[in-house]
Protein backbone atom coordinates (compact mmCIF):
# COMPACT_ATOMS: atom_id res chain seq x y z
CA UNK A 1 0.00 0.00 0.00
CA UNK A 2 3.01 2.31 -0.34
CA UNK A 3 2.19 5.65 -2.02
CA UNK A 4 -1.54 4.94 -1.67
CA UNK A 5 -3.62 8.03 -0.75
CA UNK A 6 -5.19 7.62 2.67
CA UNK A 7 -8.35 5.46 2.64
CA UNK A 8 -8.71 5.44 -1.13
CA UNK A 9 -10.42 2.44 -2.65
CA UNK A 10 -13.55 0.73 -1.41
CA UNK A 11 -11.87 -2.68 -1.09
CA UNK A 12 -9.56 -1.54 1.72
CA UNK A 13 -12.36 0.34 3.45
CA UNK A 14 -14.73 -2.65 3.37
CA UNK A 15 -12.02 -5.03 4.56
CA UNK A 16 -11.12 -2.76 7.48
CA UNK A 17 -14.77 -2.26 8.38
CA UNK A 18 -15.51 -6.00 8.37
CA UNK A 19 -12.42 -6.76 10.44
CA UNK A 20 -13.16 -4.16 13.12
CA UNK A 21 -16.86 -5.04 13.17
CA UNK A 22 -16.01 -8.70 13.76
CA UNK A 23 -13.69 -7.77 16.63
CA UNK A 24 -16.35 -5.50 18.15
CA UNK A 25 -18.77 -8.45 18.18
CA UNK A 26 -16.21 -10.97 19.47
CA UNK A 27 -15.10 -8.66 22.29
CA UNK A 28 -18.71 -7.68 23.05
CA UNK A 29 -18.01 -3.96 22.81
CA UNK A 30 -21.01 -1.65 23.15
CA UNK A 31 -21.67 1.39 20.98
CA UNK A 32 -21.55 4.79 22.67
CA UNK A 33 -24.48 7.17 22.38
CA UNK A 34 -22.08 9.86 21.17
CA UNK A 35 -21.22 8.12 17.90
CA UNK A 36 -24.91 7.41 17.26
CA UNK A 37 -25.75 11.10 17.67
CA UNK A 38 -22.75 12.07 15.54
CA UNK A 39 -23.89 9.79 12.72
CA UNK A 40 -27.50 11.00 12.95
CA UNK A 41 -26.39 14.62 12.46
CA UNK A 42 -24.66 13.71 9.20
CA UNK A 43 -27.58 11.55 8.11
CA UNK A 44 -29.88 14.56 8.53
CA UNK A 45 -27.41 16.76 6.63
CA UNK A 46 -27.35 14.28 3.76
CA UNK A 47 -31.16 14.16 3.70
CA UNK A 48 -31.10 17.98 3.51
CA UNK A 49 -28.67 17.82 0.59
CA UNK A 50 -30.95 15.40 -1.25
CA UNK A 51 -34.00 17.61 -0.67
CA UNK A 52 -32.41 20.93 -1.61
CA UNK A 53 -30.06 19.82 -4.39
CA UNK A 54 -31.99 16.81 -5.75
CA UNK A 55 -28.84 14.72 -6.05
CA UNK A 56 -28.00 11.43 -4.37
CA UNK A 57 -25.47 8.60 -4.61
CA UNK A 58 -26.18 5.48 -2.58
CA UNK A 59 -22.69 3.96 -2.70
CA UNK A 60 -21.02 7.24 -1.71
CA UNK A 61 -23.38 7.50 1.26
CA UNK A 62 -22.68 3.93 2.36
CA UNK A 63 -18.92 4.50 2.04
CA UNK A 64 -19.19 7.71 4.08
CA UNK A 65 -20.81 5.96 7.06
CA UNK A 66 -18.53 2.94 6.69
CA UNK A 67 -15.57 5.28 7.18
CA UNK A 68 -17.10 6.76 10.33
CA UNK A 69 -17.82 3.28 11.71
CA UNK A 70 -14.38 1.94 10.73
CA UNK A 71 -12.61 4.83 12.48
CA UNK A 72 -14.84 4.61 15.56
CA UNK A 73 -14.48 0.83 15.89
CA UNK A 74 -10.70 1.13 15.57
CA UNK A 75 -10.47 3.68 18.40
CA UNK A 76 -12.99 1.75 20.50
CA UNK A 77 -10.97 -1.47 20.16
CA UNK A 78 -7.57 0.10 20.80
CA UNK A 79 -8.64 2.50 23.54
CA UNK A 80 -5.74 4.36 25.15
CA UNK A 81 -3.29 2.48 22.90
CA UNK A 82 -4.46 4.33 19.80
CA UNK A 83 -1.74 7.01 19.91
CA UNK A 84 1.08 4.50 20.39
CA UNK A 85 -0.25 2.26 17.61
CA UNK A 86 -0.10 5.30 15.31
CA UNK A 87 3.28 6.55 16.52
CA UNK A 88 5.25 3.32 16.12
CA UNK A 89 4.77 2.83 12.34
CA UNK A 90 5.16 6.57 11.72
CA UNK A 91 8.48 6.51 13.59
CA UNK A 92 9.62 3.59 11.43
CA UNK A 93 8.55 5.29 8.20
CA UNK A 94 10.28 8.51 9.27
CA UNK A 95 13.62 6.80 9.97
CA UNK A 96 13.44 4.69 6.81
CA UNK A 97 12.67 7.74 4.67
CA UNK A 98 15.54 9.75 6.14
CA UNK A 99 17.96 6.95 5.29
CA UNK A 100 16.83 6.86 1.64
CA UNK A 101 16.66 10.66 1.43
CA UNK A 102 20.20 10.97 2.83
CA UNK A 103 21.50 8.52 0.22
CA UNK A 104 19.90 10.58 -2.54
CA UNK A 105 21.49 13.76 -1.16
CA UNK A 106 24.96 12.30 -0.67
CA UNK A 107 24.97 10.28 -3.91
CA UNK A 108 22.53 11.82 -6.47
CA UNK A 109 23.10 9.10 -9.14
CA UNK A 110 21.39 6.65 -6.76
CA UNK A 111 18.09 8.23 -7.86
CA UNK A 112 18.40 6.70 -11.33
CA UNK A 113 19.15 3.28 -9.85
CA UNK A 114 16.11 3.44 -7.53
CA UNK A 115 13.72 4.99 -10.05
CA UNK A 116 14.62 3.17 -13.27
CA UNK A 117 15.95 -0.18 -12.06
CA UNK A 118 14.56 -1.14 -8.66
CA UNK A 119 11.17 0.65 -8.54
CA UNK A 120 9.90 -0.68 -11.93
CA UNK A 121 10.61 -4.23 -10.77
CA UNK A 122 8.34 -3.64 -7.75
CA UNK A 123 5.59 -1.79 -9.61
CA UNK A 124 3.57 -4.93 -10.30
CA UNK A 125 3.21 -5.48 -6.56
CA UNK A 126 1.48 -2.13 -6.04
CA UNK A 127 -2.00 -2.35 -4.60
CA UNK A 128 -2.53 1.23 -5.76
CA UNK A 129 -0.68 1.79 -9.03
CA UNK A 130 0.12 5.45 -9.31
CA UNK A 131 3.70 6.28 -8.29
CA UNK A 132 6.81 4.15 -8.51
CA UNK A 133 8.20 3.29 -5.07
CA UNK A 134 10.43 0.93 -3.11
CA UNK A 135 7.82 0.31 -0.38
CA UNK A 136 9.38 2.65 2.20
CA UNK A 137 9.96 5.51 -0.25
CA UNK A 138 7.89 6.87 -3.13
CA UNK A 139 9.63 8.18 -6.25
CA UNK A 140 8.03 11.62 -6.04
CA UNK A 141 10.92 13.85 -4.97
CA UNK A 142 10.28 17.03 -6.99
CA UNK A 143 12.81 18.83 -9.17
CA UNK A 144 14.52 21.17 -6.70
CA UNK A 145 18.17 21.42 -5.69
CA UNK A 146 17.56 18.92 -2.90
CA UNK A 147 15.17 15.97 -3.22
CA UNK A 148 11.92 16.18 -1.28
CA UNK A 149 11.04 13.40 1.13
CA UNK A 150 7.63 11.76 0.47
CA UNK A 151 8.40 8.73 2.64
CA UNK A 152 6.02 5.87 1.91
CA UNK A 153 3.21 8.34 1.18
CA UNK A 154 1.97 9.64 -2.15
CA UNK A 155 3.71 13.03 -1.95
CA UNK A 156 5.88 15.05 0.49
CA UNK A 157 3.05 17.31 1.65
CA UNK A 158 0.89 14.29 2.49
CA UNK A 159 3.79 12.77 4.44
CA UNK A 160 4.16 16.06 6.33
CA UNK A 161 0.52 15.96 7.45
CA UNK A 162 0.90 12.58 9.12
CA UNK A 163 4.32 13.47 10.56
CA UNK A 164 3.02 16.62 12.20
CA UNK A 165 0.08 14.72 13.66
CA UNK A 166 2.53 12.16 15.06
CA UNK A 167 4.63 14.98 16.52
CA UNK A 168 1.62 16.51 18.30
CA UNK A 169 0.62 13.18 19.84
CA UNK A 170 4.18 12.40 20.89
CA UNK A 171 4.66 15.83 22.49
CA UNK A 172 1.48 15.38 24.52
CA UNK A 173 2.61 11.92 25.64
CA UNK A 174 6.29 12.56 26.30
CA UNK A 175 6.17 16.32 27.06
CA UNK A 176 9.65 16.49 25.50
CA UNK A 177 10.59 18.17 22.25
CA UNK A 178 14.12 16.77 22.37
CA UNK A 179 13.31 13.09 22.85
CA UNK A 180 14.22 10.63 20.09
CA UNK A 181 10.81 10.47 18.44
CA UNK A 182 10.17 14.22 18.45
CA UNK A 183 13.56 14.99 16.93
CA UNK A 184 13.13 12.39 14.20
CA UNK A 185 9.66 13.69 13.34
CA UNK A 186 10.91 17.30 13.22
CA UNK A 187 13.92 16.45 11.04
CA UNK A 188 11.75 14.42 8.68
CA UNK A 189 9.21 17.25 8.34
CA UNK A 190 12.06 19.56 7.35
CA UNK A 191 13.14 17.14 4.61
CA UNK A 192 9.66 17.20 3.02
CA UNK A 193 10.21 20.83 1.95
CA UNK A 194 6.46 21.30 2.25
CA UNK A 195 5.36 24.90 2.79
CA UNK A 196 2.20 23.92 4.64
CA UNK A 197 4.07 21.44 6.82
CA UNK A 198 6.60 24.11 7.79
CA UNK A 199 3.86 26.51 8.86
CA UNK A 200 2.19 23.79 10.93
CA UNK A 201 5.55 22.83 12.46
CA UNK A 202 5.95 26.43 13.66
CA UNK A 203 2.49 26.27 15.24
CA UNK A 204 3.42 22.99 16.93
CA UNK A 205 6.47 24.68 18.48
CA UNK A 206 4.13 27.36 19.85
CA UNK A 207 1.81 24.63 21.12
CA UNK A 208 4.68 22.96 22.96
CA UNK A 209 6.12 26.08 24.61
CA UNK A 210 2.76 27.63 25.57
CA UNK A 211 0.80 24.60 26.69
CA UNK A 212 3.32 21.87 27.59
CA UNK A 213 6.61 23.51 28.59
CA UNK A 214 5.01 26.67 30.01
CA UNK A 215 8.29 28.32 30.92
CA UNK A 216 9.84 31.77 30.42
CA UNK A 217 10.95 30.53 27.01
CA UNK A 218 7.33 30.95 25.92
CA UNK A 219 7.77 34.73 26.06
CA UNK A 220 10.42 34.73 23.34
CA UNK A 221 9.28 31.79 21.22
CA UNK A 222 6.63 33.72 19.26
CA UNK A 223 8.89 36.54 17.98
CA UNK A 224 11.69 34.03 17.41
CA UNK A 225 9.41 31.81 15.33
CA UNK A 226 8.12 34.84 13.45
CA UNK A 227 11.67 35.90 12.53
CA UNK A 228 12.54 32.32 11.55
CA UNK A 229 9.47 31.98 9.31
CA UNK A 230 10.14 35.34 7.64
CA UNK A 231 13.75 34.34 7.01
CA UNK A 232 12.65 30.95 5.64
CA UNK A 233 10.06 32.61 3.40
CA UNK A 234 12.59 35.03 1.96
CA UNK A 235 15.41 32.51 1.45
CA UNK A 236 13.79 29.18 0.57
CA UNK A 237 12.72 29.10 -3.11
CA UNK A 238 9.93 26.59 -2.55
CA UNK A 239 8.22 29.05 -0.19
CA UNK A 240 8.45 32.60 -1.57
CA UNK A 241 8.62 31.71 -5.26
CA UNK A 242 5.80 29.21 -4.86
CA UNK A 243 3.52 31.71 -3.11
CA UNK A 244 4.25 34.48 -5.58
CA UNK A 245 3.88 32.22 -8.61
CA UNK A 246 0.56 30.80 -7.38
CA UNK A 247 -0.66 34.29 -6.52
CA UNK A 248 0.23 35.68 -9.94
CA UNK A 249 -1.61 32.81 -11.63
CA UNK A 250 -4.88 33.55 -9.86
CA UNK A 251 -7.47 35.92 -11.26
CA UNK A 252 -9.52 36.71 -8.17
CA UNK A 253 -12.38 37.95 -10.32
CA UNK A 254 -13.20 34.60 -11.90
CA UNK A 255 -11.73 31.36 -10.60
CA UNK A 256 -14.25 28.92 -12.10
CA UNK A 257 -12.04 27.70 -14.92
CA UNK A 258 -8.60 28.20 -13.41
CA UNK A 259 -6.20 25.44 -12.42
CA UNK A 260 -7.19 24.05 -9.04
CA UNK A 261 -4.34 25.28 -6.86
CA UNK A 262 -5.05 25.38 -3.14
CA UNK A 263 -5.77 29.11 -3.28
CA UNK A 264 -8.22 28.71 -6.17
CA UNK A 265 -9.85 25.72 -4.45
CA UNK A 266 -10.25 27.74 -1.24
CA UNK A 267 -11.91 30.59 -3.16
CA UNK A 268 -14.31 28.18 -4.85
CA UNK A 269 -15.09 26.53 -1.50
CA UNK A 270 -15.84 29.96 0.00
CA UNK A 271 -18.26 30.74 -2.84
CA UNK A 272 -20.04 27.43 -2.27
CA UNK A 273 -20.18 27.99 1.49
CA UNK A 274 -21.81 31.42 1.08
CA UNK A 275 -24.55 29.86 -1.03
CA UNK A 276 -25.44 27.30 1.64
CA UNK A 277 -23.77 28.27 4.94
CA UNK A 278 -25.77 26.03 7.29
CA UNK A 279 -25.72 22.60 5.63
CA UNK A 280 -23.34 23.04 2.68
CA UNK A 281 -23.95 21.63 -0.77
CA UNK A 282 -23.20 17.99 0.07
CA UNK A 283 -21.00 15.53 -1.77
CA UNK A 284 -23.38 14.52 -4.55
CA UNK A 285 -23.39 17.82 -6.43
CA UNK A 286 -19.66 17.39 -7.03
CA UNK A 287 -20.34 14.24 -9.08
CA UNK A 288 -22.47 16.26 -11.47
CA UNK A 289 -19.77 18.94 -11.56
CA UNK A 290 -17.17 16.36 -12.60
CA UNK A 291 -19.41 15.26 -15.46
CA UNK A 292 -20.03 18.87 -16.47
CA UNK A 293 -16.56 20.50 -16.30
CA UNK A 294 -14.18 17.55 -15.90
CA UNK A 295 -12.30 16.05 -12.99
CA UNK A 296 -9.51 18.65 -12.83
CA UNK A 297 -11.79 21.70 -12.66
CA UNK A 298 -14.11 19.99 -10.15
CA UNK A 299 -11.20 19.08 -7.89
CA UNK A 300 -10.96 20.76 -4.48
CA UNK A 301 -7.65 20.28 -2.66
CA UNK A 302 -8.21 21.98 0.71
CA UNK A 303 -9.62 19.61 3.30
CA UNK A 304 -10.73 22.26 5.80
CA UNK A 305 -12.31 24.76 3.42
CA UNK A 306 -13.91 21.89 1.51
CA UNK A 307 -15.53 20.69 4.73
CA UNK A 308 -17.23 24.09 5.10
CA UNK A 309 -18.45 23.86 1.50
CA UNK A 310 -19.72 20.28 1.78
CA UNK A 311 -21.27 20.18 5.26
CA UNK A 312 -21.74 23.84 6.21
CA UNK A 313 -21.52 25.30 9.72
CA UNK A 314 -23.52 22.48 11.30
CA UNK A 315 -21.20 19.77 10.01
CA UNK A 316 -18.08 21.80 10.82
CA UNK A 317 -19.16 22.48 14.42
CA UNK A 318 -20.01 18.82 15.02
CA UNK A 319 -16.83 17.52 13.35
CA UNK A 320 -14.31 19.88 14.95
CA UNK A 321 -16.25 20.02 18.21
CA UNK A 322 -16.00 16.24 18.50
CA UNK A 323 -12.31 16.40 17.63
CA UNK A 324 -11.74 19.03 20.34
CA UNK A 325 -13.58 16.85 22.87
CA UNK A 326 -11.42 13.86 22.00
CA UNK A 327 -8.21 15.90 22.16
CA UNK A 328 -9.32 17.36 25.51
CA UNK A 329 -9.61 13.86 26.97
CA UNK A 330 -6.23 12.91 25.53
CA UNK A 331 -4.54 16.07 26.87
CA UNK A 332 -6.10 15.82 30.34
CA UNK A 333 -5.15 12.15 30.62
CA UNK A 334 -1.51 13.24 30.17
CA UNK A 335 -1.69 16.14 32.62
CA UNK A 336 -2.09 18.93 30.07
CA UNK A 337 -4.75 21.63 30.41
CA UNK A 338 -7.94 21.38 28.32
CA UNK A 339 -7.27 24.71 26.59
CA UNK A 340 -4.39 22.99 24.80
CA UNK A 341 -6.94 20.75 23.08
CA UNK A 342 -8.48 23.73 21.27
CA UNK A 343 -5.10 24.88 19.98
CA UNK A 344 -4.19 21.34 18.94
CA UNK A 345 -7.35 21.16 16.83
CA UNK A 346 -6.40 24.45 15.15
CA UNK A 347 -3.00 22.95 14.35
CA UNK A 348 -4.51 19.71 13.04
Amino acid sequence: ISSMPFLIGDAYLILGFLLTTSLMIIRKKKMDYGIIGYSLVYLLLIIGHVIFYEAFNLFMTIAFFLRIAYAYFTVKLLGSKIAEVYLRPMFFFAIASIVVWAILVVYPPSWKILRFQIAPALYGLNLYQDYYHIFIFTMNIGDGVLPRNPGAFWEPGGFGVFLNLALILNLIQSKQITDRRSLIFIITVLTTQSTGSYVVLALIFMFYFYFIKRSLASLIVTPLLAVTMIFAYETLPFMKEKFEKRGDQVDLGDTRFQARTRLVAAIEDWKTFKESPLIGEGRFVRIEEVERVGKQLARRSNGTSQYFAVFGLIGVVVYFGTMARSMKKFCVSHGIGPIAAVFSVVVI
Side-chain angles (χ1 to χ4, degrees):
I1 53 176
S2 180
S3 78
M4 184 179 75
F6 186 58
L7 276 184
I8 193 168
D10 293 335
Y12 313 107
L13 173 61
I14 294 171
L15 179 62
F17 170 75
L18 292 176
L19 176 61
T20 52
T21 302
S22 300
L23 290 172
M24 286 285 290
I25 296 172
I26 293 171
R27 297 183 183 180
K28 298 180 180 179
K29 295 283 187 179
K30 294 183 179 179
M31 295 277 287
D32 298 298
Y33 288 113
I35 191 64
I36 297 174
Y38 180 90
S39 301
L40 283 175
V41 169
Y42 283 97
L43 178 61
L44 291 174
L45 285 173
I46 289 173
I47 292 174
H49 299 152
V50 174
I51 293 173
F52 288 106
Y53 292 97
E54 298 181 346
F56 180 68
N57 185 293
L58 177 62
F59 293 107
M60 185 178 287
T61 303
I62 293 173
F64 176 74
F65 286 105
L66 282 183
R67 292 187 182 200
I68 293 176
Y70 177 25
Y72 169 74
F73 290 162
T74 301
V75 177
K76 185 73 174 177
L77 289 164
L78 292 173
S80 60
K81 300 176 184 177
I82 183 69
E84 191 62 25
V85 168
Y86 177 76
L87 287 169
R88 286 180 180 177
M90 284 305 303
F91 186 59
F92 166 78
F93 284 128
I95 293 176
S97 70
I98 288 178
V99 171
V100 178
W101 180 83
I103 293 173
L104 293 176
V105 172
V106 174
Y107 185 62
S110 61
W111 159 251
K112 292 184 178 180
I113 299 173
L114 292 175
R115 169 61 181 84
F116 297 106
Q117 296 182 32
I118 298 177
L122 300 174
Y123 190 74
L125 301 175
N126 285 14
L127 293 178
Y128 179 75
Q129 296 185 343
D130 192 352
Y131 295 108
Y132 286 99
H133 63 78
I134 55 171
F135 298 127
I136 58 171
F137 198 90
T138 301
M139 302 293 108
N140 185 11
I141 63 172
D143 54 3
V145 176
L146 289 176
R148 299 181 66 187
N149 183 359
F153 290 74
W154 64 98
E155 57 107 5
F159 191 25
V161 170
F162 292 94
L163 286 168
N164 278 323
L165 178 56
L167 179 58
I168 293 173
L169 296 177
N170 190 64
L171 288 175
I172 293 173
Q173 281 195 163
S174 70
K175 301 183 180 65
Q176 296 293 326
I177 204 167
T178 55
D179 72 332
R180 184 176 59 174
R181 278 182 175 174
S182 294
L183 288 176
I184 289 295
F185 289 143
I186 291 169
I187 292 170
T188 311
V189 168
L190 294 177
T191 63
T192 65
Q193 300 177 53
S194 167
T195 306
S197 296
Y198 280 22
V199 172
V200 173
L201 183 61
L203 292 175
I204 292 175
F205 274 105
M206 292 179 63
F207 171 76
Y208 172 75
F209 283 106
Y210 278 97
F211 297 106
I212 299 177
K213 190 69 173 177
R214 290 185 292 184
S215 65
L216 292 176
S218 304
L219 300 176
I220 62 173
V221 69
T222 301
L224 184 60
L225 282 173
V227 171
T228 303
M229 289 303 295
I230 292 172
F231 177 77
Y233 177 79
E234 292 292 337
T235 56
L236 297 177
F238 64 88
M239 293 190 74
K240 184 176 182 178
E241 291 179 12
K242 180 179 178 180
F243 270 116
E244 292 180 349
K245 183 179 179 181
R246 293 285 172 85
D248 293 339
Q249 290 175 343
V250 176
D251 176 10
L252 297 178
D254 187 2
T255 55
R256 290 176 300 170
F257 303 107
Q258 294 185 43
R260 285 299 184 261
T261 63
R262 288 177 180 173
L263 177 58
V264 172
I267 294 172
E268 288 298 300
D269 286 334
W270 173 245
K271 291 178 182 178
T272 301
F273 173 70
K274 288 193 297 182
E275 294 175 358
S276 182
L278 281 180
I279 68 171
E281 69 171 7
R283 306 182 72 199
F284 313 124
V285 175
R286 197 62 50 81
I287 299 175
E288 298 178 352
E289 187 179 2
V290 170
E291 296 175 351
R292 187 174 67 255
V293 301
K295 187 176 181 179
Q296 287 300 318
L297 286 178
R299 178 174 173 266
R300 305 287 177 89
S301 55
N302 288 324
T304 303
S305 64
Q306 185 180 25
Y307 215 86
F308 276 86
V310 173
F311 292 112
L313 281 175
I314 295 175
V316 166
V317 169
V318 172
Y319 180 71
F320 287 103
T322 305
M323 185 188 296
R325 185 169 178 268
S326 298
M327 289 303 296
K328 176 184 175 182
K329 288 187 175 182
F330 185 63
C331 288
V332 170
S333 68
H334 288 86
I336 299 173
I339 298 179
V342 177
F343 193 85
S344 69
V345 170
V346 172
V347 173
I348 293 171

